[in-house]
Amino acid sequence: MTVDAIVFEHVTFAYEAAPTGAGRTVPAAPVLDDVSFALPEGEFCLLVGPTGAGKSTLLKAVNGLVPRFTGGDMHGRIAVAGREVRTATPADLADVVGYVGQDPLAGFVTDEVELELAYTAEQLGIAPAAMRKRVTEIVDLLGLADVRDRALAQLSSGQRQRVAIGAALVAGPAALVLDEPTSALDPAAADEVLSVLHRLVHDLGVTVLLAEHRLERVVQYADSALLLDGGKVAAGPLGEVLAESPVAPPVVGLGRLAGWPGPPVTIREARRHAAGLRATITERARTVARHTDTSVPSASLEPPLLEARGVTVDYPGVRAVAGIDLVARRGERIALMGRNGSGKSSLMWALQGTGKRSGGTVAIAGADPASRRPGERRRLAGLVPAEAADLLYAETVAAECAGADADGGAPKGACAKILDDLVDGVDPETHPRDLSEGQRLALALAVTLTAAPPLLLLDEPTRGLDYPGKAALAARLKALAQAGHCVVVSTHDVEFCAEFASRVVVLSDGEVVADGPARQITAASPMFAPQVEKILPGWQTVAEVAAALGRDGE
């Protein structure tokens, strides 16, 4: 008899009504609308849906964080391993469901790996001998033996994610719920984390419910999927759900384009169908130009916009950037790639002038940004950090835009106009932190662009964005490059890189190990190659294949 680990029965949830400017309240639309599904024991289920669909809300409802800590109105029944969620606190449910949020550091309560792993066991009153045994088993299971005595702050992003999973597992839960666990990880670190989850499902029978926007990383591990869209949930086998989903990895889009049955959801399945399509587009490629532009207009005719020579960044005991040279011109679209800790963010902050620079020189349009006042610096180089909200301080979108106009010396309404060009439907009276991920990123980008910097730097801008959101961002950044900006993006997102970049610079241990045309660099690396390249060598996006087939509108 199959045992259901997670059960939702007719669950409806809406956040509290939102106040309006007239002092009235507007009833909030339900985030979850009569949701019912059941996940059996030992299932790896992928939760998919557009940005802002309510995936995080559904995940937090599994252990009662919603509505207990968020407020709102909930109806229906939720059970985990037979235990009723509505009548228990999240602490009461710790032994049946573990929750891992988007930011592991935000959930840690101690400073060291072993202490963090033992904390939950201590709170549950587990005997010291049993606790030591359990912690040791988790350390071995997750491959943390070499870091068990280290401070959490010294770990890589992938190691922190594994510690967060381990802390949730110490209580021996039947289900593990994870919200975008690979969003901040490079491809290799993401594979490490997902392999651990796969092992938990198959070796220990843990039920895993995971939400992730970078579906191309996860689909090979999942057994089934839930599609959340418009408050409704559709459940079923992975291929069937993704075939109907508005967000799907490129391999599914390619399968739809080619009419492959299924469609296939993994590279292996797609390659088995690809021989005919490969022959067709190889023939067409002899007469049809590739649609991905790897050239830089007039690059050889203009002087460099950015000249960085021997840039070095040191932190106590660590050389994050080791003498990097980087030259870039207007119109270039550069992707900075490399493993977590390779020095990408440190380099970007050093180029912008706000970050520490231990050595070397940086010139943007002939000026060193580090020697300028903050206002002047923003007119040379604008940087949108990995957390776009870090740039946003005002109480409303309108106030943010007004502040950006004043700080950038721009005419009144300039920032609001840029925001309207970037994204539709943003209420100027909304608090910036109430916006969706895509809207918040657009606002931070508009604030940055108001000062009209020729060099635009973005650090991991695709976190929290679904595939349509990333495609829209790539189109906007291309338009900015065509308008004369130089755009540099630090990213682990290989699919976004395929859509956006004309040039790729790969860092490792603070040094440049590869620098060249995007297609050439990504195609040569199994780690950085997009899905379409792995199926159809020489082609990088579904749109490019559609264009080669004369089906641009698909």
Side-chain angles (χ1 to χ4, degrees):
M1 179 179 177
T2 301
V3 177
D4 290 328
I6 300 175
V7 176
F8 275 51
E9 292 181 355
H10 304 292
V11 174
T12 296
F13 173 76
Y15 287 102
E16 294 176 354
T20 67
R24 295 174 298 176
T25 58
V26 177
V31 180
L32 306 177
D33 187 3
D34 195 27
V35 170
S36 296
F37 64 85
L39 298 184
E41 179 181 348
E43 183 87 353
F44 194 133
C45 182
L46 180 59
L47 176 61
V48 301
T51 299
K55 297 185 294 297
S56 295
T57 297
L58 188 151
L59 294 179
K60 291 177 181 177
V62 175
N63 72 339
L65 288 172
V66 169
R68 187 171 292 270
F69 291 105
T70 63
D73 185 26
M74 177 173 281
H75 301 280
R77 174 178 178 262
I78 303 174
V80 180
R83 194 176 304 180
E84 298 295 325
V85 172
R86 296 285 300 279
T87 57
T89 68
D92 295 333
L93 296 167
D95 62 331
V96 292
V97 56
Y99 175 81
V100 181
Q102 295 180 10
D103 182 4
L105 275 178
F108 291 151
V109 294
T110 70
D111 297 325
E112 297 180 8
V113 171
E114 195 158 12
L115 292 177
E116 186 66 30
L117 294 176
Y119 178 80
T120 300
E122 290 177 339
Q123 299 306 302
L124 293 174
I126 296 175
M131 180 172 60
R132 284 194 296 271
K133 178 177 180 293
R134 190 169 297 183
V135 168
T136 298
E137 290 172 346
I138 295 297
V139 164
D140 292 339
L141 178 68
L142 301 184
L144 294 170
D146 57 336
V147 298
R148 67 184 299 169
D149 298 322
R150 289 174 59 180
L152 292 166
Q154 296 176 344
L155 302 184
S156 70
S157 296
Q159 289 168 333
R160 290 174 187 166
Q161 195 66 266
R162 280 186 280 158
V163 171
I165 293 170
L169 287 175
V170 166
L176 189 61
V177 176
L178 304 101
D179 196 354
E180 295 201 49
T182 75
S183 63
L185 304 183
D186 62 67
D191 280 344
E192 291 175 6
V193 169
L194 292 168
S195 294
V196 165
L197 297 176
H198 186 261
R199 195 180 316 131
L200 294 175
V201 169
H202 288 269
D203 293 352
L204 301 181
V206 175
T207 297
V208 170
L209 176 59
L210 179 151
E212 182 62 66
H213 280 302
R214 298 182 185 177
L215 301 179
E216 70 277 1
R217 293 178 166 184
V218 189
V219 289
Q220 61 181 310
Y221 299 98
D223 303 310
S224 62
L226 299 174
L227 170 61
L228 176 60
D229 193 10
K232 301 291 187 179
V233 164
L238 187 65
E240 293 180 10
V241 172
L242 291 181
E244 302 300 325
S245 174
V247 290
V251 64
V252 173
L254 186 63
R256 292 171 179 167
L257 177 69
W260 295 335
V265 297
T266 67
I267 300 297
R268 182 177 66 171
E269 293 170 343
R271 286 185 65 88
R272 292 172 177 171
H273 292 280
L277 179 59
R278 194 178 297 123
T280 298
I281 62 173
T282 298
E283 180 63 28
R284 287 179 177 266
R286 295 172 182 169
T287 56
V288 178
R290 299 283 168 85
H291 278 226
T292 299
D293 180 19
T294 59
S295 64
V296 180
S298 67
S300 61
L301 303 179
E302 292 187 4
L305 171 67
L306 167 68
E307 286 191 87
R309 303 292 183 184
V311 174
T312 301
V313 177
D314 292 321
Y315 302 110
V318 177
R319 172 151 288 184
V321 179
I324 283 180
D325 295 336
L326 183 64
V327 177
R329 292 176 168 80
R330 292 179 182 272
E332 284 199 270
R333 308 186 306 274
I334 302 173
L336 283 182
M337 306 190 78
R339 294 199 65 160
N340 293 103
S342 60
K344 300 186 298 298
S345 295
S346 295
L347 175 61
M348 295 185 82
W349 282 105
L351 295 178
Q352 195 270 343
T354 300
K356 176 182 178 181
R357 193 169 81 222
S358 307
T361 61
V362 175
I364 300 173
D368 184 350
S371 66
R372 302 301 177 97
R373 294 179 178 179
E376 297 173 324
R377 191 181 299 149
R378 286 194 294 270
R379 294 183 181 95
L380 288 173
L383 194 152
V384 179
E387 294 294 338
D390 290 349
L391 286 184
L392 309 175
Y393 302 101
E395 296 294 321
T396 65
V397 171
E400 285 287 358
C401 290
D405 292 340
D407 293 341
K412 183 178 180 180
C415 181
K417 174 63 169 62
I418 295 171
L419 180 61
D420 287 341
D421 291 341
L422 292 174
V423 64
D424 296 326
V426 176
D427 183 348
E429 297 306 314
T430 301
H431 195 292
R433 294 181 187 272
D434 290 334
L435 300 175
S436 70
E437 290 287 346
Q439 290 172 329
R440 195 178 302 123
L441 176 62
L443 177 58
L445 187 55
V447 168
T448 302
L449 288 172
T450 301
L455 178 63
L456 183 61
L457 307 161
L458 297 94
D459 194 0
E460 284 291 341
T462 64
R463 291 180 62 181
L465 297 184
D466 56 20
Y467 291 103
K470 289 189 283 190
L473 176 62
R476 292 166 191 152
L477 296 181
K478 285 183 179 181
L480 290 170
Q482 291 170 356
H485 294 269
C486 174
V487 184
V488 182
V489 173
S490 167
T491 184
H492 296 304
D493 194 329
V494 298
E495 302 300 337
F496 175 75
C497 178
E499 295 277 356
F500 155 76
S502 61
R503 173 183 170 191
V504 170
V505 178
V506 181
L507 304 187
S508 179
D509 296 325
E511 299 180 349
V512 175
V513 295
D515 184 353
R519 180 184 299 278
Q520 175 183 321
I521 298 297
T522 56
S525 169
M527 180 181 295
F528 298 128
Q531 284 196 314
V532 173
E533 174 73 40
K534 294 176 180 178
I535 300 166
L536 303 171
W539 305 84
Q540 300 226 327
T541 68
V542 176
E544 187 182 339
V545 175
L549 295 174
R551 294 154 67 179
D552 299 53
E554 300 194 32

